[in-house]
Amino acid sequence: MAADPSSATPSTPAAHDQGTRPGGRLTLWGVAAAILAVGVLGGHHGVSVTTDVARGSGANAVQADPHRVGEALPRSAPTRLLIPKIAVNAPFTALTTNASGQLQPPPAANTNLVGWYSKGAAPGEAGTSIIAGHVDTATSAAVFANLDELKAGDRFSVERADGSRADFVVDSAETFEKDKFPSRRVYADAPRPEARLITCAGDYDHSVKDYTENLVVFAHLV
């Protein structure tokens, strides 16, 4: 699996920033999200996500004002990610961190699978929801193979276990060198419902079996 994206662990925030959400769930920063290893989504050792996915249809109906912020939804686990522009229609799996605080990637065997950091905000809930997917595997492209085609104003949706759907609009899509990854900006909690779609990008470094960059799509609920 690929390496941690940052060369050093950022400073721990002050105690009052490390609170819990209702129900005792730790916020992203409260579980040291600054050192979540986005790098684990890189390399040909578990980088899975898809080109053979079926086209989603539900998200095509989104016509909301891109500057409007949708009202936060109650917590509910995500079940499916729909990104019509790049033909993503993928189920979710819950992701956790290991003992070193690194985010564990979705299983490499399933190229059409995305992961959600389950101790953070659920997509549509107030806060920052982290959704990660592989760009490829050793043998094929994966679910976020075309994530770099998303631009500001594009839409995607998340179907949720309670039957509701969270619709998002892309604010920006940016690429960062892994050794200069802006952890605080990407992972810090947000007062409004936001989402980050994360995968690998850049060149593949065969010496370390990892990609040199990460692509992050920033979005908010509409």
Side-chain angles (χ1 to χ4, degrees):
M1 211 51 68
D4 192 313
S6 52
S7 57
T9 302
S11 302
T12 303
H16 64 271
D17 291 329
Q18 298 182 15
T20 59
R21 295 180 178 277
R25 292 181 293 106
L26 293 174
T27 63
L28 250 48
W29 279 106
V31 291
I35 60 170
L36 292 180
V38 182
V40 296
L41 299 175
H44 294 290
H45 289 72
V47 192
S48 281
V49 244
T50 177
T51 52
D52 60 345
V53 293
R55 289 188 175 273
S57 57
N60 286 320
V62 179
Q63 298 293 333
D65 178 350
H67 301 294
R68 184 179 72 85
V69 177
E71 183 176 350
L73 302 173
R75 184 172 180 80
S76 180
T79 58
R80 202 154 199 92
L81 176 65
L82 305 172
I83 315 178
K85 181 176 180 178
I86 57 173
V88 168
N89 184 339
F92 275 89
T93 187
L95 303 180
T96 59
T97 55
N98 63 17
S100 2
Q102 294 178 325
L103 184 67
Q104 300 302 286
N110 186 346
T111 59
N112 188 34
L113 186 67
V114 291
W116 158 60
Y117 178 55
S118 58
K119 290 187 177 179
E125 184 181 22
T128 303
S129 178
I130 302 299
I131 299 172
H134 295 292
V135 68
D136 66 5
T137 66
T139 58
S140 70
V143 67
F144 279 169
N146 298 313
L147 193 67
D148 60 353
E149 295 181 17
L150 294 189
K151 309 296 181 186
D154 287 337
R155 313 299 179 103
F156 64 89
S157 297
V158 175
E159 293 181 348
R160 300 168 12 118
D162 63 2
S164 65
R165 192 182 73 187
D167 296 322
F168 291 88
V169 63
V170 173
D171 296 312
S172 65
E174 302 177 50
T175 302
F176 307 102
E177 294 179 24
K178 288 195 174 183
D179 59 359
K180 298 178 181 178
F181 191 81
S183 298
R184 181 175 295 274
R185 178 183 170 197
V186 173
Y187 298 129
D189 215 5
R192 66 179 185 173
E194 297 187 3
R196 309 284 188 262
L197 306 181
I198 305 175
T199 195
C200 285
D203 296 325
Y204 184 76
D205 186 338
H206 291 274
S207 65
V208 296
K209 297 182 173 61
D210 192 10
Y211 284 92
T212 56
E213 300 174 342
N214 282 118
L215 170 64
V216 181
V217 173
F218 296 83
H220 70 272
L221 186 73
V222 290

